[in-house]
Amino acid sequence: MGRFLEEFAVVRRTYHLRLLVTVHLLMWATMAFALAPALRGQMLADGIAAVVNDKVITYVQINQQVAETEKLLRQNLQGEELFQRVKEAKLNVLRALIERELIIQDFKTQGGFIPDTYTNERINDVIRDEYGGDRVAFIKTLYERGVTLQKFKDEIKDNAIVGYMRNKNVVQTVLVSPYQIEQYYQQNLRLFQQDERIKVSTIVLRKALFPSQKTVDGKQVTYDPQEEIAKEILYKLDTGSDFADLAKSYSEAGNKDAGGELGWVTQNGKTAIRSDLWDAIAKLQPGQHTDVITTADGFYYIVQVEDREISTMTPLEKVRAQIEQTVIGEESQVRQQQWLDSLRAKAFIKMFL
């Protein structure tokens, strides 16, 4: 019977707490809409964005964290798109604040506490490292930011709590076995394949803006003088001239001073060369060059292959540590989501944003 009464008392207190919060919210909402529009806007700006058990999260907290993001959005967007992006940013901040509050409350429910000696040591570290030991300058900076020393201490404690709880409930629970690493490697072989690479040099000429004319066999023929130069360069290459010297003399590309050297290129990825050039060099051996390649965007290319490396697979042992960190990261996200979901399931949460 005694245990039943205790449980009933807990349920009753919880009910009263939620009822009290609801009543206060209704009163606040009624007052807000009864006020003049200007005052109502101010009240909404300073009002309640969410309730997490007995803790209130305000719009001020959200606006402080989203201020820089909103400023950048306003510089690049307008209208409905701006409104939706700002709203999305505020919702993301609110969700993060709710998660943070759930973690802190769970820590305190378990009887955890952060001693004042810890916060004092952290403050002394900040004063030493960021203010050269000048405590007055530190206090002045807090004042200019509108932050009290107590609020700063509370922030230090909350950060320590969140870090401790994430480490305890997420990081320390993730263990990666050799089998998981090997399985990840086999399932993602493409990530560890080194594509074939070809080291190339180029000579590039831009097509003439206006065609020229010449007489051939008594007939007027339209031609591009730039193409004629490209063919002349090709002839010189075929008769033994040095590619780098010709690139320095004729090429119109930015790499001309380097003798046309472009470096290592691949068919795909960040170092991919355009497909029409790759097709032309794919079967060439070091020292060989292409014919004049006319591109659809108005250029003439001659490409020489300097060296090439075949496609290879990076051995598992060379990427084992990298894979382990990746798997730990993925597992940590899953564990963290499960942990936060369990905290939400036990909490009273009401959002007003």
Side-chain angles (χ1 to χ4, degrees):
M1 184 66 178
R3 183 177 180 183
F4 169 78
L5 291 174
E6 289 177 1
E7 293 177 351
F8 176 76
V10 171
V11 172
R12 186 179 181 184
R13 283 197 301 273
T14 303
Y15 171 78
H16 283 166
L17 174 61
R18 295 184 181 181
L19 180 61
L20 182 62
V21 169
T22 302
V23 170
H24 276 84
L25 292 174
L26 288 173
M27 289 175 61
W28 174 84
T30 303
M31 289 173 60
F33 285 98
L35 293 172
L39 291 176
R40 184 163 68 234
Q42 180 62 39
M43 193 169 184
L44 285 170
D46 297 338
I48 299 173
V51 176
V52 184
N53 293 321
D54 60 345
K55 178 72 174 182
V56 169
I57 296 174
T58 67
Y59 282 96
V60 171
Q61 292 172 267
I62 296 173
N63 291 334
Q64 286 174 342
Q65 293 198 25
V66 84
E68 287 301 319
T69 300
E70 185 172 355
K71 181 180 178 180
L72 291 174
L73 289 173
R74 291 188 181 280
Q75 291 174 355
N76 299 286
L77 302 174
Q78 58 184 354
E80 181 64 20
E81 185 178 5
L82 172 62
F83 174 79
Q84 292 297 334
R85 292 287 295 276
V86 171
K87 181 179 179 181
E88 180 184 355
K90 290 186 176 182
L91 278 171
N92 289 336
V93 169
L94 178 56
R95 293 188 184 103
L97 288 172
I98 289 173
E99 290 178 356
R100 181 180 175 87
E101 186 56 40
L102 287 171
I103 293 170
I104 293 169
Q105 290 183 16
D106 188 45
F107 174 81
K108 294 178 179 178
T109 299
Q110 296 179 30
F113 75 98
I114 304 294
D116 290 338
T117 52
Y118 174 84
T119 55
N120 290 334
E121 288 176 2
R122 298 290 76 75
I123 288 175
N124 289 335
D125 290 342
V126 170
I127 293 173
R128 183 190 66 246
D129 298 338
E130 299 181 22
Y131 297 89
D134 190 343
R135 188 177 183 85
V136 174
F138 166 70
I139 297 297
K140 181 181 178 182
T141 302
L142 291 184
Y143 176 79
E144 292 171 349
R145 294 176 181 172
V147 178
T148 64
L149 182 58
Q150 185 57 52
K151 184 177 180 180
F152 190 78
K153 288 182 177 181
D154 291 342
E155 191 71 16
I156 291 175
K157 285 186 178 182
D158 289 348
N159 289 338
I161 289 171
V162 172
Y164 167 79
M165 293 295 280
R166 287 188 188 279
N167 184 65
K168 174 186 174 182
N169 293 279
V170 178
V171 177
Q172 293 183 8
T173 64
V174 176
L175 297 174
V176 178
S177 67
Y179 171 74
Q180 286 176 284
I181 295 174
E182 292 165 9
Q183 186 180 43
Y184 184 93
Y185 180 79
Q186 293 299 327
Q187 291 175 349
N188 298 274
L189 286 175
R190 183 66 186 85
L191 297 177
F192 308 107
Q193 180 179 342
Q194 301 296 319
D195 289 335
E196 179 182 15
R197 302 195 309 163
I198 303 177
K199 189 176 183 180
V200 299
S201 296
T202 60
I203 296 174
V204 186
L205 299 177
R206 185 185 296 273
K207 284 186 178 181
L209 293 176
F210 303 101
S212 298
Q213 289 188 337
K214 61 182 178 180
T215 302
V216 178
D217 297 331
K219 296 181 179 179
Q220 288 285 82
V221 177
T222 299
Y223 74 102
D224 185 345
Q226 290 288 84
E227 185 178 15
E228 295 293 308
I229 295 174
K231 290 178 179 178
E232 179 184 343
I233 295 170
L234 185 64
Y235 173 77
K236 289 182 178 181
L237 285 172
D238 290 339
T239 54
S241 294
D242 183 69
F243 190 97
D245 291 340
L246 292 173
K248 290 177 182 179
S249 299
Y250 292 99
S251 183
E252 298 175 0
N255 60 345
K256 64 174 295 182
D257 291 337
E261 183 177 326
L262 189 63
W264 292 96
V265 298
T266 56
Q267 184 176 13
N268 302 296
K270 294 181 179 179
T271 57
I273 196 172
R274 50 190 302 164
S275 59
D276 48 0
L277 299 185
W278 179 268
D279 292 342
I281 65 176
K283 296 181 180 180
L284 298 182
Q285 297 302 314
Q288 294 181 328
H289 59 262
T290 66
D291 290 331
V292 176
I293 303 169
T294 305
T295 65
D297 55 347
F299 291 93
Y300 299 109
Y301 277 86
I302 300 174
V303 186
Q304 178 163 289
V305 172
E306 308 292 352
D307 198 359
R308 62 189 308 148
E309 293 180 353
I310 63 174
S311 176
T312 58
M313 186 66 64
T314 304
L316 172 59
E317 291 310 312
K318 285 192 174 182
V319 292
R320 182 178 291 276
Q322 172 190 334
I323 293 175
E324 182 177 15
Q325 290 305 310
T326 300
V327 176
I328 287 175
E330 293 177 353
E331 287 289 320
S332 295
Q333 289 182 355
V334 173
R335 297 292 179 88
Q336 177 166 287
Q337 193 59 52
Q338 293 172 341
W339 171 49
L340 291 173
D341 287 344
S342 70
L343 295 181
R344 289 190 192 94
K346 298 182 292 184
F348 171 74
I349 301 171
K350 183 68 176 177
M351 295 172 57
F352 300 94
L353 183 60

